[in-house]
């Protein structure tokens, strides 16, 4: 598994401020909820993606069913799903990359999928695996 160097991860977090969070939850006990709240408090826009909650709200943001349903630009697709769900998420991100100006695929701690990462890189996207943006922000920028 190869991740960008710390300087590149810090640059992603400095310049890419809109995340689509795949697998967002409205349950405060879930890690995705805590990460979303932390990142919002630091000026990030986190757009939740959860097909079971389409049209509802999490932390003041409308929930969308999929990346394809998003209307405006996003910088990062943040995947809070099991590794077996990653290829479909990455394929959807690649399909919408130009329309949504997607720059990075970010896989949360415990989420590693080398083949999907290779596909994303081949499409010109940066890839971060097995890392949490909340932890990386605190480590590199706070």
């Amino acid at each position: 598994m190869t991740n960008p160097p710390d300087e590149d991860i810090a640059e992603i977090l400095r310049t890419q401020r809109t995340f689509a969070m795949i697998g967002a939850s409205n349950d405060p006990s879930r890690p995705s909820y805590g990460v979303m709240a932390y990142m919002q408090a630091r000026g990030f826009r986190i757009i939740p993606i959860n097909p079971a909650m389409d049209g509802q709200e999490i932390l003041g943001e409308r929930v969308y069913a999929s990346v394809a349903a998003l209307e405006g630009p996003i910088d990062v697709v943040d995947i809070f799903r099991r590794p077996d769900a990653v290829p479909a998420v990455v394929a959807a991100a690649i399909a919408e990359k130009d329309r949504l100006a997607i720059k990075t695929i970010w896989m949360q701690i415990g989420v590693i999928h080398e083949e999907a990462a290779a596909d994303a890189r081949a499409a010109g996207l940066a890839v971060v695996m097995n890392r949490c943006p909340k932890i990386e922000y605190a480590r590199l920028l706070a």
Side-chain angles (χ1 to χ4, degrees):
M1 176 183 64
T2 303
N3 273 321
D6 282 353
E7 310 82 63
D8 292 355
I9 292 173
E11 185 65 12
I12 289 168
L13 292 169
R14 268 194 295 275
T15 62
Q16 299 181 26
R17 307 294 290 181
T18 304
F19 282 52
M21 183 180 282
I22 313 299
S25 173
N26 64 347
D27 179 348
S29 71
R30 302 292 300 167
S32 63
Y33 187 95
V35 170
M36 184 173 173
Y38 178 92
M39 298 301 282
Q40 282 181 326
R42 277 136 194 94
F44 289 82
R45 180 166 185 219
I46 310 297
I47 303 168
I49 308 289
N50 183 328
M53 294 185 62
D54 186 30
Q56 298 178 45
E57 282 194 4
I58 299 174
L59 293 168
E61 285 284 349
R62 180 193 187 280
V63 180
Y64 291 84
S66 66
V67 171
L70 292 172
E71 298 159 5
I74 59 168
D75 299 308
V76 179
V77 174
D78 181 13
I79 306 173
F80 251 111
R81 299 281 316 278
R82 292 186 321 265
D84 62 353
V86 170
V89 172
V90 169
I94 291 169
E96 299 293 338
K97 173 179 77 96
D98 294 333
R99 183 178 72 84
L100 295 173
I102 298 168
K103 299 168 190 69
T104 301
I105 299 292
W106 192 302
M107 299 179 214
Q108 285 289 337
I109 292 173
V111 183
I112 300 167
H113 199 289
E114 295 290 353
E115 295 82 7
D119 291 345
R121 288 186 193 104
L125 298 170
V127 176
V128 179
M129 286 191 285
N130 196 34
R131 299 269 181 98
C132 175
K134 172 184 173 183
I135 293 169
E136 296 305 303
Y137 184 92
R139 183 174 75 87
L140 298 170
L141 299 176

